[in-house]
Amino acid sequence: MLKKISFFVLLIVTIPFSGCEVKNTDTNSLKISLEKQVGNTNVFDYRYTDFHFTSNYRKHPRFYAHLKGSYKKTPVFDTSLISQHITDNRRFWYMLLKKGFSKDSNLAKRLEGVNTDSLGFDIEVDNALTLVTGIKNGQQLVIVDVNKNNSFDADEVQVFPKGFSENPEQDSIFFNSLPLIDYNYEIYALKKMDTYKRKAIIYPFKNHDYTFSYFGDSLNKKLHVMGKLKDYWQGELQVSNQKYNVLCQGFNKEYLQILIKPDSVKLDQKDYIKNKKFEYAIKDTFSLSNSKFVIDSFMLSSSELILRKLNSEHQYFGFRQGETIKDLELMDLKGKTFTISESKQDSKYILLDFWGTWCPPCLETTPLLQEIHMKYSKNLKIISLAYDNSSEEVFSYTTENSMVWPQAFIERIGDPNSIVQKLRIDYFPTFLLLDEKLRIVKRSIGIEGLREIDAYLTKKL
């Protein structure tokens, strides 16, 4: 779901988010019992519900021939592909190289430094779901090998209307009536196998953002198929006299989105971005009803979320509105380091601007940033943090556009320890307005969010 793309850019990160720092915790554990629910999962970020299928007919033809040969009877369509969703790509790459299905040197480089023994790459793990999809009489058909018996004979044939794959959710009646399938898979980590038994829907979607990677591969794009998890975990937590609802979603117990909200608050069923104020991840520290907690772990076997209560003196740094950020070290465009507090000087407020030269919605905010800088320069310090590929490109743009306030550079390589990850910057541009104590007064996205900050500063200054 990228309907907001018109005014901001979504950063898709495949690395599980790192939590806030936790030190000197006590052993007061709380266990929240969760129950599996099946229903509308639109309240969650789509990165925790959506998955897609791809065919290796072109990228790894030897493997594709082997896979196709393992299916004795494949339905005959006008145009067809066998596609898979694989939950662990590194394990898949290792198998391709080991069994001689690929000699791609890039795959070998991706596995450099990976301890394949400790990760159990030689252990057989059920982490693939296979389907065949094709066109017949102008309609797209999909058959999923749900029971994983290398045959499509006993599996349901889903037939989709002409034009459905252009924009599936536009045909809401048909989309909401899609049948649930059993999607079972295994995750091997820390020398332990976890088995997930999920419910999902499967549907064609050739215009999904994931198809942007199919450069020159029109067949994979034309027959692209998506999956969406339709189950999640739900429970309750009571702190003092306040009751909270807890919802968990994700593909494994580490990469998990956790929503914790007062039971009086309703989550938005159409715009998951509005629900992010209630979002947490494993190892996050947070406060509820003046009590502090850290999310310790998720126990798949018992469907329990484990929290630890912290003592009242415990100090933590957060990324949400109302929380205080750590005085992080930044690097300017010349490679010199500086901290946020060093830049603020005597200013009452600091505005952190996360942007990139590759991001059109970010560039759209430049004139308004210039205006804000002129209006509030005595009481506001702007720090622009470019998440980009080249500091030279950033320097060129900021010079040409007279962005005379402090500039920082963050290399766009997906570093889990970068400020982008620590402050959970998922969208570009994102703006954090801080007070003198580095507390987040306002957190917003896009040009409309920047206008809200401008209006707030007008009232305060």
Side-chain angles (χ1 to χ4, degrees):
M1 184 188 299
L2 285 179
K3 60 184 179 181
K4 298 284 185 179
I5 198 72
S6 59
F7 66 88
F8 63 81
V9 172
L10 170 65
L11 168 66
I12 297 180
V13 183
T14 57
I15 305 169
F17 291 121
S18 57
C20 306
E21 294 182 3
V22 180
K23 296 179 181 179
N24 302 321
T25 59
D26 59 25
T27 57
N28 191 1
S29 294
L30 294 175
K31 295 182 179 180
I32 305 173
S33 296
L34 305 172
E35 292 185 0
K36 223 37 169 333
Q37 305 289 333
V38 177
N40 188 349
T41 54
N42 289 341
V43 298
F44 298 102
D45 187 327
Y46 81 93
R47 291 173 295 175
Y48 297 88
T49 61
D50 292 14
F51 55 99
H52 80 125
F53 294 77
T54 189
S55 175
N56 284 289
Y57 81 99
R58 185 171 179 174
K59 201 168 187 178
H60 303 296
R62 291 182 185 176
F63 170 74
Y64 185 76
H66 167 78
L67 178 65
K68 192 173 182 179
S70 69
Y71 279 83
K72 305 305 179 186
K73 294 182 181 180
T74 303
V76 178
F77 301 130
D78 299 337
T79 306
S80 66
L81 277 180
I82 293 179
S83 298
Q84 289 186 306
H85 173 71
I86 298 170
T87 59
D88 188 339
N89 281 325
R90 294 189 304 177
R91 185 179 294 274
F92 176 62
W93 300 334
Y94 177 79
M95 180 276 296
L96 290 176
L97 294 171
K98 183 177 180 181
K99 294 189 176 182
F101 291 131
S102 176
K103 295 181 180 180
D104 188 345
S105 60
N106 289 325
L107 294 186
K109 288 181 180 178
R110 290 177 180 179
L111 292 173
E112 284 181 2
V114 176
N115 190 329
T116 57
D117 291 333
S118 65
L119 292 173
F121 276 12
D122 285 315
I123 296 173
E124 190 169 329
V125 176
D126 177 9
N127 68 350
L129 185 61
T130 306
L131 60 80
V132 61
T133 180
I135 306 296
K136 189 172 184 178
N137 299 325
Q139 294 179 302
Q140 187 163 351
L141 285 69
V142 177
I143 310 174
V144 185
D145 183 13
V146 175
N147 54 17
K148 301 184 178 182
N149 65 348
N150 285 51
S151 172
F152 298 109
D153 287 351
D155 297 296
E156 181 180 356
V157 180
Q158 295 188 55
V159 182
F160 296 87
K162 292 181 180 180
F164 179 85
S165 66
E166 299 283 344
N167 187 0
E169 294 191 58
Q170 188 172 2
D171 188 349
S172 59
I173 295 176
F174 188 88
F175 186 83
N176 292 330
S177 67
L178 291 176
L180 292 173
I181 69 160
D182 293 317
Y183 173 30
N184 303 328
Y185 56 93
E186 296 175 335
I187 300 289
Y188 183 85
L190 301 176
K191 298 183 179 181
K192 183 179 183 297
M193 189 83 77
D194 286 322
T195 301
Y196 292 80
K197 297 182 178 182
R198 313 300 303 272
K199 295 290 184 180
I201 58 172
I202 306 296
Y203 56 96
F205 191 178
K206 73 176 186 180
N207 291 326
H208 194 280
D209 294 292
Y210 289 156
T211 65
F212 291 164
S213 62
Y214 294 145
F215 298 115
D217 188 350
S218 58
L219 188 57
N220 242 326
K221 180 177 174 64
K222 180 181 180 180
L223 298 180
H224 182 247
V225 175
M226 287 295 302
K228 178 185 282 290
L229 296 177
K230 299 296 285 185
D231 60 349
Y232 58 95
W233 293 270
Q234 181 173 318
E236 291 184 346
L237 167 67
Q238 184 152 336
V239 182
S240 299
N241 295 321
Q242 176 66 58
K243 186 183 291 184
Y244 295 89
N245 299 135
V246 181
L247 298 91
C248 299
Q249 181 61 288
F251 292 96
N252 62 65
K253 62 186 182 183
E254 299 299 326
Y255 188 62
L256 197 68
Q257 183 184 26
I258 304 163
L259 300 176
I260 302 178
K261 68 170 187 68
D263 66 345
S264 58
V265 174
K266 290 186 177 181
L267 294 172
D268 196 298
Q269 296 288 331
K270 295 182 179 180
D271 190 351
Y272 68 85
I273 295 168
K274 294 180 180 178
N275 302 328
K276 281 187 164 289
K277 66 180 75 173
F278 306 111
E279 179 187 68
Y280 301 91
I282 299 296
K283 302 306 178 187
D284 270 358
T285 304
F286 62 99
S287 177
L288 294 177
S289 302
N290 297 318
S291 295
K292 297 176 183 177
F293 300 90
V294 60
I295 300 177
D296 185 78
S297 58
F298 174 66
M299 304 298 292
L300 177 64
S301 57
S302 57
S303 292
E304 289 180 325
L305 190 68
I306 312 298
L307 308 184
R308 278 183 290 150
K309 191 173 182 180
L310 307 175
N311 58 55
S312 57
E313 291 78 25
H314 178 89
Q315 184 178 5
Y316 70 95
F317 300 103
F319 55 88
R320 294 179 181 82
Q321 191 164 305
E323 296 179 337
T324 300
I325 73 169
K326 192 174 183 180
D327 189 13
L328 296 165
E329 191 175 77
L330 309 175
M331 183 178 70
D332 68 18
L333 301 183
K334 295 182 179 180
K336 294 182 179 180
T337 58
F338 65 98
T339 63
I340 296 171
S341 60
E342 287 173 348
S343 293
K344 80 179 183 69
Q345 298 172 348
D346 296 326
S347 301
K348 292 183 179 180
Y349 294 99
I350 309 148
L351 178 61
L352 300 185
D353 158 39
F354 289 88
W355 71 294
T357 59
W358 48 270
C359 163
C362 300
L363 308 186
E364 184 185 356
T365 65
T366 301
L368 183 52
L369 280 169
Q370 293 168 334
E371 185 180 329
I372 289 173
H373 172 69
M374 292 287 290
K375 283 196 294 185
Y376 312 114
S377 58
K378 290 184 179 180
N379 295 298
L380 172 74
K381 180 67 70 175
I382 300 176
I383 304 176
S384 287
L385 301 95
Y387 185 65
D388 225 301
N389 301 315
S390 166
S391 59
E392 288 79 10
E393 290 181 20
V394 176
F395 178 80
S396 177
Y397 181 85
T398 55
T399 302
E400 290 174 6
N401 289 276
S402 301
M403 296 170 68
V404 295
W405 50 88
Q407 304 291 328
F409 176 73
I410 307 163
E411 192 171 2
R412 197 180 172 193
I413 56 174
D415 179 3
N417 294 312
S418 77
I419 187 173
V420 167
Q421 304 303 330
K422 289 178 178 178
L423 295 180
R424 306 283 172 85
I425 307 301
D426 299 333
Y427 311 96
F428 286 83
T430 288
F431 302 98
L432 303 186
L433 182 65
L434 313 176
D435 64 14
E436 294 173 289
K437 296 181 179 179
L438 304 188
R439 183 176 64 92
I440 302 174
V441 178
K442 289 283 185 181
R443 180 176 178 130
S444 62
I445 56 177
I447 193 163
E448 291 301 323
L450 185 57
R451 286 176 180 143
E452 291 175 7
I453 288 176
D454 185 18
Y456 176 86
L457 290 171
T458 298
K459 290 180 181 179
K460 294 294 183 179
L461 301 177

